Amino acid sequence: MTASASENSEVTVLLVDDNPQNLKVLYETLKDKGYRLLIANEGAKALDLAHRHRPEVILLDIMMPEMDGYEVCERLKGDPVTSDCAVVFLSALDDLSSKVKGFSLGGADYISKPFQSQEVIARVDTHAKVIRLERELQARNRELVSDQARILNSISEGIYGLDENGVIEFANQAAALIVNCPVEDLIGKNFFDLHFATASDSDICLPVMRTCRQGVAEHQRNIQLQRVDGGAFPAEYRATPKLDNDELHGAVVVFRDITVELNNERALEEARALVQEQRDQLAHTSRLTTMGEMAAGFAHEVNQPLTAISNYARVSGRVMAKENPDLSLLNETMGKIEAQSHRASEIIRRIRRFMKKPATGKEKLAVPTLLEDTRQFAEVDMRNNEGGIEVVVEDDLPDVVADPVQVQQVALNFIRNALEATRAAGSSAPVEVTARRCGEKCVRVQVRDHGVGVAEEAEDKLFHPFFTTKEDGMGIGLATCRSLIQAQGGEIGYERPDGVGACFYFTLPVAGAGDDACTAE
């Protein structure tokens, strides 16, 4: 078999002529070209063979009795099964009107009798290739459409294809389920009239309207869409313009019902609020525990100015009991009484401020003031542990945004632990509290001691609840600190320093940098 015959092995050619001699000539011309040849000597038989075998090419004589070639061609083109066949007219009629009529009825070509064999072969070959390619393309298109339909129907989001006026040209199965309407009933409906009670031709503010009319992509969440039955549901949608060579032809809308999602978000928000409330209660309990541990020291701190006030009061009484009281001494003594009362008041003020629950949460804070206040608060522990505290703050340190009570609680916890560790190691080195800028958006506060340090196997567990390295510890101090700093949008951690001791740190966001500026990604 020749290469040409091999290429044509799947091509069917129908020969139609009422003249047996013409049929024989056509058959002999094409029989060695690899075509599958069918023969009909009348119009009715030609229609039957064409319907059953769908030939690529039909060589059709015009002048036939009962049913001429024009009628056969018209009926072939009217049948969806044979409408794509290439009809090539064969006729001795060579006038222009005959050719025009043939082409107007759907004919693909025209060969005048008597015909030349090479001309017939060339034209049949050309039309066979064209029809075969067209059928392959149509088959591929059908496969693509089918694949597309399967893909779109497998997607859980609803999908609409809209024209520029918002008329629904396509809807997938998910869209039908969401809006409670069969797909076939959605096709042809106006998207805006269907889903919005206030829809009007001039309402450009409606969702998706700008995409259809102006080609502007849209994305909105928690809009109300109506169902066919009159009910409504919250939805999220994305609308993308349909463009063909920059010409707008409507929009593709992908949407979903977010009723369950919104309910889950509300439940999650309530759970978060409950967790935050419990976190605040735990932090407050931790502060109460700290105050219980420091109570004896604070009693001593307050007792000192009270004792001084009592002594100065007795001195004042003795001065005033004299016949000629020394008013200068009396005035000096009264000043000392006032100074000691302010000292006692300041100690009580710091205690009350530390003990209270946060009222409004975060505020703008000056880090140097906060750390100095904490240092003074820790003086009781400093004396009890026979240690010292050095606070070093970087120049021009920016303000931070945080809850002052909770941050002071964390800093005080670090400092007290550092003082205890330093005393346990028998060291006289002071605890070093430093604050410096960390990048553009964070301030880092660090507490370094020269104590016994932390065992390597304990490093990863330091901030875990109920883990402790102290014999009488409960293991909630550092875990609470982590929770408090995370609530400020900062980070907390431990670093093993060079030499002995331990180094704990936390970060806070710079004012104006955002609540999560220090949160690791």
Side-chain angles (χ1 to χ4, degrees):
M1 184 180 291
T2 64
S4 178
S6 177
E7 292 176 1
N8 298 330
S9 59
E10 296 181 359
V11 175
T12 300
V13 179
L14 174 59
L15 310 176
V16 185
D17 199 311
D18 64 330
N19 188 320
Q21 185 62 34
N22 289 341
L23 284 176
K24 182 178 180 181
V25 173
L26 287 172
Y27 186 86
E28 291 295 331
T29 300
L30 298 171
K31 70 176 183 178
D32 295 327
K33 304 306 176 184
Y35 299 115
R36 178 189 177 205
L37 300 176
L38 303 175
I39 296 175
N41 58 2
E42 60 178 6
K45 186 176 180 181
L47 291 173
D48 178 62
L49 289 172
H51 189 84
R52 286 192 287 120
H53 298 283
R54 291 192 68 216
E56 280 74 13
V57 181
I58 301 175
L59 296 179
L60 178 61
D61 184 29
I62 293 178
M63 304 301 295
M64 294 188 299
E66 297 183 8
M67 186 186 302
D68 64 16
Y70 293 133
E71 184 178 351
V72 172
C73 180
E74 187 174 12
R75 292 175 65 174
L76 286 169
K77 294 301 176 181
D79 184 349
V81 176
T82 58
S83 61
D84 65 341
C85 298
V87 177
V88 179
F89 286 111
L90 298 169
S91 179
L93 299 174
D94 199 24
D95 59 285
L96 181 61
S97 60
S98 297
K99 293 182 179 180
V100 171
K101 182 177 180 180
F103 288 126
S104 66
L105 292 172
D109 207 345
Y110 202 103
I111 300 176
S112 300
K113 294 181 181 179
F115 48 77
Q116 299 295 320
S117 296
Q118 293 303 317
E119 181 184 6
V120 172
I121 293 171
R123 301 218 179 179
V124 168
D125 184 59
T126 298
H127 289 296
K129 289 179 179 178
V130 171
I131 296 300
R132 185 168 57 184
L133 290 174
E134 286 181 351
R135 288 182 177 178
E136 289 176 356
L137 180 60
Q138 290 172 0
R140 182 57 181 155
N141 285 339
R142 285 192 295 270
E143 289 177 4
L144 291 175
V145 170
S146 178
D147 290 344
Q148 182 187 53
R150 282 196 298 271
I151 292 170
L152 293 177
N153 284 326
S154 68
I155 296 174
S156 59
E157 287 86 0
I159 301 176
Y160 285 140
L162 311 180
D163 69 9
E164 59 272 19
N165 295 314
V167 175
I168 300 173
E169 298 178 323
F170 170 83
N172 70 341
Q173 190 61 40
L177 291 173
I178 293 173
V179 303
N180 195 23
C181 180
V183 170
E184 56 271 18
D185 292 346
L186 288 173
I187 305 302
K189 289 184 181 295
N190 186 279
F191 171 83
F192 305 105
D193 294 338
L194 175 64
H195 289 303
F196 302 102
T198 60
S200 66
D201 293 339
S202 60
D203 196 349
I204 196 66
C205 295
L206 281 177
V208 186
M209 183 72 79
R210 294 178 66 223
T211 307
C212 287
R213 300 284 178 81
Q214 301 175 5
V216 179
E218 297 181 32
H219 175 215
Q220 288 195 54
R221 190 172 186 272
N222 199 10
I223 65 165
Q224 290 293 313
L225 294 183
Q226 285 188 319
R227 290 190 173 90
V228 173
D229 58 9
F233 63 95
E236 178 180 17
Y237 80 90
R238 294 181 184 274
T240 305
K242 288 195 302 184
L243 299 173
D244 184 7
N245 293 327
D246 295 330
E247 184 177 351
L248 183 62
H249 292 281
V252 174
V253 182
V254 179
F255 67 100
R256 60 193 182 94
D257 185 341
I258 59 172
T259 302
V260 175
E261 187 175 310
L262 292 178
N263 290 337
N264 290 340
E265 287 177 0
R266 282 191 289 269
L268 180 59
E269 192 59 37
E270 291 173 0
R272 284 175 176 166
L274 179 60
V275 168
Q276 184 60 48
E277 181 181 351
Q278 293 175 342
R279 176 187 291 161
D280 292 342
Q281 290 176 352
L282 179 61
H284 188 239
T285 301
S286 178
R287 289 196 295 276
L288 291 175
T289 301
T290 301
M291 286 307 304
E293 296 171 352
M294 300 173 69
F298 278 119
H300 177 72
E301 286 290 303
V302 174
N303 190 54
Q304 282 185 329
L306 291 179
T307 300
I309 290 172
S310 177
N311 291 335
Y312 289 137
R314 283 195 294 271
V315 170
S316 298
R318 286 196 296 270
V319 171
M320 294 179 64
K322 293 180 179 181
E323 190 172 328
N324 294 310
D326 187 343
L327 297 181
S328 175
L329 176 60
L330 180 62
N331 185 60
E332 179 183 350
T333 303
M334 295 300 293
K336 291 179 179 179
I337 290 175
E338 182 181 11
Q340 292 299 320
S341 67
H342 282 313
R343 178 184 172 189
S345 176
E346 180 62 22
I347 294 171
I348 295 172
R349 182 190 66 82
R350 288 203 298 267
I351 294 173
R352 292 184 63 184
R353 187 170 58 190
F354 183 75
M355 292 296 294
K356 74 175 183 178
K357 289 185 177 181
T360 57
K362 300 177 183 179
E363 58 187 70
K364 191 174 180 180
L365 303 175
V367 176
T369 302
L370 183 71
L371 293 182
E372 177 57 28
D373 201 27
T374 306
R375 187 197 65 78
Q376 293 179 14
F377 204 74
E379 283 183 351
V380 171
D381 276 282
M382 184 174 64
R383 282 190 289 271
N384 289 341
N385 289 283
E386 299 176 352
I389 303 173
E390 289 186 356
V391 178
V392 179
V393 178
E394 186 178 73
D395 293 338
D396 299 323
L397 195 68
D399 291 343
V400 299
V401 174
D403 184 306
V405 175
Q406 294 184 349
V407 173
Q408 188 180 63
Q409 181 176 348
V410 175
L412 182 61
N413 189 296
F414 281 3
I415 291 172
R416 294 185 70 224
N417 288 345
L419 288 169
E420 291 178 8
T422 300
R423 184 186 65 176
S427 173
S428 60
V431 171
E432 301 166 6
V433 181
T434 59
R436 60 179 176 81
R437 189 146 190 169
C438 183
E440 292 296 319
K441 299 182 178 180
C442 299
V443 167
R444 172 176 164 134
V445 177
Q446 176 179 296
V447 178
R448 161 78 192 278
D449 66 60
H450 296 272
V452 295
V454 177
E456 290 188 11
E457 60 271 16
E459 288 186 15
D460 294 337
K461 304 176 184 177
L462 285 173
F463 295 94
H464 290 187
F466 309 115
F467 175 80
T468 181
T469 58
K470 300 178 182 179
E471 292 183 1
D472 57 347
M474 296 178 61
I476 61 172
L478 290 179
T480 301
C481 288
R482 181 178 66 173
S483 177
L484 294 177
I485 292 300
Q486 287 177 343
Q488 314 306 314
E491 288 187 319
I492 191 169
Y494 165 82
E495 289 180 351
R496 181 172 294 277
D498 295 333
V500 298
C503 177
F504 288 85
Y505 70 90
F506 61 86
T507 61
L508 297 171
V510 171
D515 290 343
D516 58 350
C518 296
T519 303
E521 296 183 356

PDB file of all heavy atoms in Angstrom, residues 52-72:
ATOM      1  N   ARG A  52     -25.789   6.052   7.425  1.00  0.00           N
ATOM      2  CA  ARG A  52     -25.231   4.901   8.139  1.00  0.00           C
ATOM      3  C   ARG A  52     -23.707   4.952   8.243  1.00  0.00           C
ATOM      4  O   ARG A  52     -23.130   4.491   9.229  1.00  0.00           O
ATOM      5  CB  ARG A  52     -25.654   3.599   7.453  1.00  0.00           C
ATOM      6  CG  ARG A  52     -27.130   3.264   7.720  1.00  0.00           C
ATOM      7  CD  ARG A  52     -27.486   1.841   7.286  1.00  0.00           C
ATOM      8  NE  ARG A  52     -27.561   1.710   5.838  1.00  0.00           N
ATOM      9  CZ  ARG A  52     -26.810   0.884   5.122  1.00  0.00           C
ATOM     10  NH1 ARG A  52     -25.905   0.127   5.726  1.00  0.00           N
ATOM     11  NH2 ARG A  52     -26.934   0.799   3.811  1.00  0.00           N
ATOM     12  N   HIS A  53     -23.026   5.518   7.247  1.00  0.00           N
ATOM     13  CA  HIS A  53     -21.559   5.440   7.209  1.00  0.00           C
ATOM     14  C   HIS A  53     -20.843   6.784   7.376  1.00  0.00           C
ATOM     15  O   HIS A  53     -19.630   6.795   7.519  1.00  0.00           O
ATOM     16  CB  HIS A  53     -21.115   4.793   5.883  1.00  0.00           C
ATOM     17  CG  HIS A  53     -21.611   3.394   5.702  1.00  0.00           C
ATOM     18  ND1 HIS A  53     -21.054   2.315   6.346  1.00  0.00           N
ATOM     19  CD2 HIS A  53     -22.643   2.903   4.950  1.00  0.00           C
ATOM     20  CE1 HIS A  53     -21.700   1.204   6.002  1.00  0.00           C
ATOM     21  NE2 HIS A  53     -22.679   1.536   5.156  1.00  0.00           N
ATOM     22  N   ARG A  54     -21.565   7.869   7.334  1.00  0.00           N
ATOM     23  CA  ARG A  54     -20.971   9.213   7.506  1.00  0.00           C
ATOM     24  C   ARG A  54     -19.687   9.384   6.688  1.00  0.00           C
ATOM     25  O   ARG A  54     -18.592   9.572   7.216  1.00  0.00           O
ATOM     26  CB  ARG A  54     -20.661   9.494   8.975  1.00  0.00           C
ATOM     27  CG  ARG A  54     -21.876   9.673   9.866  1.00  0.00           C
ATOM     28  CD  ARG A  54     -21.469  10.228  11.211  1.00  0.00           C
ATOM     29  NE  ARG A  54     -20.995  11.594  11.075  1.00  0.00           N
ATOM     30  CZ  ARG A  54     -20.008  12.117  11.799  1.00  0.00           C
ATOM     31  NH1 ARG A  54     -19.355  11.371  12.669  1.00  0.00           N
ATOM     32  NH2 ARG A  54     -19.648  13.376  11.637  1.00  0.00           N
ATOM     33  N   PRO A  55     -19.750   9.342   5.373  1.00  0.00           N
ATOM     34  CA  PRO A  55     -18.559   9.500   4.537  1.00  0.00           C
ATOM     35  C   PRO A  55     -17.978  10.911   4.671  1.00  0.00           C
ATOM     36  O   PRO A  55     -18.715  11.873   4.921  1.00  0.00           O
ATOM     37  CB  PRO A  55     -19.085   9.253   3.122  1.00  0.00           C
ATOM     38  CG  PRO A  55     -20.525   9.619   3.192  1.00  0.00           C
ATOM     39  CD  PRO A  55     -20.989   9.195   4.558  1.00  0.00           C
ATOM     40  N   GLU A  56     -16.668  10.999   4.535  1.00  0.00           N
ATOM     41  CA  GLU A  56     -16.036  12.315   4.562  1.00  0.00           C
ATOM     42  C   GLU A  56     -16.376  13.109   3.302  1.00  0.00           C
ATOM     43  O   GLU A  56     -16.596  14.324   3.364  1.00  0.00           O
ATOM     44  CB  GLU A  56     -14.512  12.186   4.692  1.00  0.00           C
ATOM     45  CG  GLU A  56     -13.980  11.930   6.094  1.00  0.00           C
ATOM     46  CD  GLU A  56     -14.227  10.498   6.563  1.00  0.00           C
ATOM     47  OE1 GLU A  56     -14.577   9.617   5.735  1.00  0.00           O
ATOM     48  OE2 GLU A  56     -14.069  10.237   7.770  1.00  0.00           O
ATOM     49  N   VAL A  57     -16.369  12.425   2.154  1.00  0.00           N
ATOM     50  CA  VAL A  57     -16.602  13.099   0.869  1.00  0.00           C
ATOM     51  C   VAL A  57     -17.711  12.360   0.118  1.00  0.00           C
ATOM     52  O   VAL A  57     -17.758  11.128   0.109  1.00  0.00           O
ATOM     53  CB  VAL A  57     -15.319  13.134   0.016  1.00  0.00           C
ATOM     54  CG1 VAL A  57     -15.572  13.865  -1.310  1.00  0.00           C
ATOM     55  CG2 VAL A  57     -14.168  13.806   0.789  1.00  0.00           C
ATOM     56  N   ILE A  58     -18.588  13.160  -0.494  1.00  0.00           N
ATOM     57  CA  ILE A  58     -19.652  12.599  -1.355  1.00  0.00           C
ATOM     58  C   ILE A  58     -19.521  13.250  -2.725  1.00  0.00           C
ATOM     59  O   ILE A  58     -19.656  14.479  -2.851  1.00  0.00           O
ATOM     60  CB  ILE A  58     -21.053  12.870  -0.781  1.00  0.00           C
ATOM     61  CG1 ILE A  58     -21.186  12.259   0.627  1.00  0.00           C
ATOM     62  CG2 ILE A  58     -22.130  12.320  -1.699  1.00  0.00           C
ATOM     63  CD1 ILE A  58     -22.506  12.594   1.316  1.00  0.00           C
ATOM     64  N   LEU A  59     -19.221  12.401  -3.750  1.00  0.00           N
ATOM     65  CA  LEU A  59     -19.217  12.879  -5.139  1.00  0.00           C
ATOM     66  C   LEU A  59     -20.633  12.694  -5.669  1.00  0.00           C
ATOM     67  O   LEU A  59     -21.090  11.562  -5.859  1.00  0.00           O
ATOM     68  CB  LEU A  59     -18.202  12.101  -5.959  1.00  0.00           C
ATOM     69  CG  LEU A  59     -16.725  12.267  -5.539  1.00  0.00           C
ATOM     70  CD1 LEU A  59     -15.821  11.433  -6.418  1.00  0.00           C
ATOM     71  CD2 LEU A  59     -16.305  13.719  -5.584  1.00  0.00           C
ATOM     72  N   LEU A  60     -21.340  13.790  -5.890  1.00  0.00           N
ATOM     73  CA  LEU A  60     -22.789  13.749  -6.123  1.00  0.00           C
ATOM     74  C   LEU A  60     -23.148  14.325  -7.493  1.00  0.00           C
ATOM     75  O   LEU A  60     -22.864  15.493  -7.777  1.00  0.00           O
ATOM     76  CB  LEU A  60     -23.493  14.537  -5.008  1.00  0.00           C
ATOM     77  CG  LEU A  60     -25.003  14.673  -5.082  1.00  0.00           C
ATOM     78  CD1 LEU A  60     -25.675  13.294  -5.025  1.00  0.00           C
ATOM     79  CD2 LEU A  60     -25.503  15.551  -3.940  1.00  0.00           C
ATOM     80  N   ASP A  61     -23.773  13.456  -8.309  1.00  0.00           N
ATOM     81  CA  ASP A  61     -24.270  13.914  -9.610  1.00  0.00           C
ATOM     82  C   ASP A  61     -25.511  14.775  -9.389  1.00  0.00           C
ATOM     83  O   ASP A  61     -26.339  14.483  -8.525  1.00  0.00           O
ATOM     84  CB  ASP A  61     -24.602  12.701 -10.480  1.00  0.00           C
ATOM     85  CG  ASP A  61     -25.021  13.113 -11.881  1.00  0.00           C
ATOM     86  OD1 ASP A  61     -24.541  14.173 -12.346  1.00  0.00           O
ATOM     87  OD2 ASP A  61     -25.829  12.387 -12.486  1.00  0.00           O
ATOM     88  N   ILE A  62     -25.655  15.830 -10.178  1.00  0.00           N
ATOM     89  CA  ILE A  62     -26.818  16.707 -10.022  1.00  0.00           C
ATOM     90  C   ILE A  62     -28.018  16.162 -10.783  1.00  0.00           C
ATOM     91  O   ILE A  62     -29.129  16.054 -10.246  1.00  0.00           O
ATOM     92  CB  ILE A  62     -26.491  18.131 -10.514  1.00  0.00           C
ATOM     93  CG1 ILE A  62     -25.442  18.775  -9.586  1.00  0.00           C
ATOM     94  CG2 ILE A  62     -27.748  19.000 -10.543  1.00  0.00           C
ATOM     95  CD1 ILE A  62     -25.018  20.167 -10.001  1.00  0.00           C
ATOM     96  N   MET A  63     -27.829  15.785 -12.032  1.00  0.00           N
ATOM     97  CA  MET A  63     -28.946  15.384 -12.899  1.00  0.00           C
ATOM     98  C   MET A  63     -29.277  13.906 -12.663  1.00  0.00           C
ATOM     99  O   MET A  63     -28.688  13.017 -13.268  1.00  0.00           O
ATOM    100  CB  MET A  63     -28.595  15.640 -14.368  1.00  0.00           C
ATOM    101  CG  MET A  63     -28.211  17.090 -14.642  1.00  0.00           C
ATOM    102  SD  MET A  63     -29.524  18.251 -14.222  1.00  0.00           S
ATOM    103  CE  MET A  63     -30.770  17.764 -15.429  1.00  0.00           C
ATOM    104  N   MET A  64     -30.219  13.657 -11.732  1.00  0.00           N
ATOM    105  CA  MET A  64     -30.682  12.290 -11.460  1.00  0.00           C
ATOM    106  C   MET A  64     -32.203  12.295 -11.425  1.00  0.00           C
ATOM    107  O   MET A  64     -32.821  13.298 -11.027  1.00  0.00           O
ATOM    108  CB  MET A  64     -30.134  11.796 -10.109  1.00  0.00           C
ATOM    109  CG  MET A  64     -28.632  11.610 -10.061  1.00  0.00           C
ATOM    110  SD  MET A  64     -28.080  10.813  -8.525  1.00  0.00           S
ATOM    111  CE  MET A  64     -28.629  12.000  -7.314  1.00  0.00           C
ATOM    112  N   PRO A  65     -32.831  11.199 -11.828  1.00  0.00           N
ATOM    113  CA  PRO A  65     -34.286  11.120 -11.808  1.00  0.00           C
ATOM    114  C   PRO A  65     -34.817  11.030 -10.371  1.00  0.00           C
ATOM    115  O   PRO A  65     -34.089  10.650  -9.450  1.00  0.00           O
ATOM    116  CB  PRO A  65     -34.584   9.840 -12.591  1.00  0.00           C
ATOM    117  CG  PRO A  65     -33.365   9.005 -12.404  1.00  0.00           C
ATOM    118  CD  PRO A  65     -32.215   9.953 -12.360  1.00  0.00           C
ATOM    119  N   GLU A  66     -36.086  11.359 -10.185  1.00  0.00           N
ATOM    120  CA  GLU A  66     -36.814  11.283  -8.925  1.00  0.00           C
ATOM    121  C   GLU A  66     -36.253  12.268  -7.889  1.00  0.00           C
ATOM    122  O   GLU A  66     -36.985  13.117  -7.400  1.00  0.00           O
ATOM    123  CB  GLU A  66     -36.794   9.860  -8.348  1.00  0.00           C
ATOM    124  CG  GLU A  66     -37.496   8.840  -9.245  1.00  0.00           C
ATOM    125  CD  GLU A  66     -37.531   7.461  -8.621  1.00  0.00           C
ATOM    126  OE1 GLU A  66     -37.153   7.315  -7.438  1.00  0.00           O
ATOM    127  OE2 GLU A  66     -37.940   6.531  -9.320  1.00  0.00           O
ATOM    128  N   MET A  67     -34.980  12.178  -7.554  1.00  0.00           N
ATOM    129  CA  MET A  67     -34.400  13.102  -6.570  1.00  0.00           C
ATOM    130  C   MET A  67     -33.057  13.582  -7.113  1.00  0.00           C
ATOM    131  O   MET A  67     -32.128  12.802  -7.232  1.00  0.00           O
ATOM    132  CB  MET A  67     -34.205  12.408  -5.215  1.00  0.00           C
ATOM    133  CG  MET A  67     -33.745  13.350  -4.100  1.00  0.00           C
ATOM    134  SD  MET A  67     -33.351  12.467  -2.564  1.00  0.00           S
ATOM    135  CE  MET A  67     -34.897  11.660  -2.220  1.00  0.00           C
ATOM    136  N   ASP A  68     -33.016  14.853  -7.529  1.00  0.00           N
ATOM    137  CA  ASP A  68     -31.766  15.326  -8.123  1.00  0.00           C
ATOM    138  C   ASP A  68     -30.732  15.630  -7.032  1.00  0.00           C
ATOM    139  O   ASP A  68     -30.996  15.557  -5.822  1.00  0.00           O
ATOM    140  CB  ASP A  68     -32.007  16.550  -8.996  1.00  0.00           C
ATOM    141  CG  ASP A  68     -32.511  17.761  -8.219  1.00  0.00           C
ATOM    142  OD1 ASP A  68     -32.394  17.760  -6.972  1.00  0.00           O
ATOM    143  OD2 ASP A  68     -33.029  18.707  -8.840  1.00  0.00           O
ATOM    144  N   GLY A  69     -29.526  15.986  -7.476  1.00  0.00           N
ATOM    145  CA  GLY A  69     -28.421  16.206  -6.546  1.00  0.00           C
ATOM    146  C   GLY A  69     -28.651  17.373  -5.603  1.00  0.00           C
ATOM    147  O   GLY A  69     -28.200  17.345  -4.446  1.00  0.00           O
ATOM    148  N   TYR A  70     -29.369  18.407  -6.078  1.00  0.00           N
ATOM    149  CA  TYR A  70     -29.637  19.546  -5.207  1.00  0.00           C
ATOM    150  C   TYR A  70     -30.469  19.125  -3.988  1.00  0.00           C
ATOM    151  O   TYR A  70     -30.188  19.509  -2.851  1.00  0.00           O
ATOM    152  CB  TYR A  70     -30.382  20.632  -5.986  1.00  0.00           C
ATOM    153  CG  TYR A  70     -29.554  21.277  -7.088  1.00  0.00           C
ATOM    154  CD1 TYR A  70     -30.096  21.457  -8.366  1.00  0.00           C
ATOM    155  CD2 TYR A  70     -28.261  21.720  -6.840  1.00  0.00           C
ATOM    156  CE1 TYR A  70     -29.353  22.054  -9.370  1.00  0.00           C
ATOM    157  CE2 TYR A  70     -27.506  22.308  -7.852  1.00  0.00           C
ATOM    158  CZ  TYR A  70     -28.058  22.475  -9.105  1.00  0.00           C
ATOM    159  OH  TYR A  70     -27.320  23.062 -10.106  1.00  0.00           O
ATOM    160  N   GLU A  71     -31.513  18.344  -4.228  1.00  0.00           N
ATOM    161  CA  GLU A  71     -32.370  17.905  -3.129  1.00  0.00           C
ATOM    162  C   GLU A  71     -31.611  16.970  -2.183  1.00  0.00           C
ATOM    163  O   GLU A  71     -31.763  17.041  -0.950  1.00  0.00           O
ATOM    164  CB  GLU A  71     -33.614  17.195  -3.675  1.00  0.00           C
ATOM    165  CG  GLU A  71     -34.588  16.803  -2.568  1.00  0.00           C
ATOM    166  CD  GLU A  71     -35.855  16.137  -3.112  1.00  0.00           C
ATOM    167  OE1 GLU A  71     -36.038  16.136  -4.349  1.00  0.00           O
ATOM    168  OE2 GLU A  71     -36.633  15.638  -2.287  1.00  0.00           O
ATOM    169  N   VAL A  72     -30.783  16.084  -2.786  1.00  0.00           N
ATOM    170  CA  VAL A  72     -29.987  15.187  -1.940  1.00  0.00           C
ATOM    171  C   VAL A  72     -29.056  16.007  -1.032  1.00  0.00           C
ATOM    172  O   VAL A  72     -28.945  15.747   0.175  1.00  0.00           O
ATOM    173  CB  VAL A  72     -29.166  14.208  -2.801  1.00  0.00           C
ATOM    174  CG1 VAL A  72     -28.196  13.418  -1.924  1.00  0.00           C
ATOM    175  CG2 VAL A  72     -30.090  13.272  -3.558  1.00  0.00           C
TER     176      VAL A  72
END
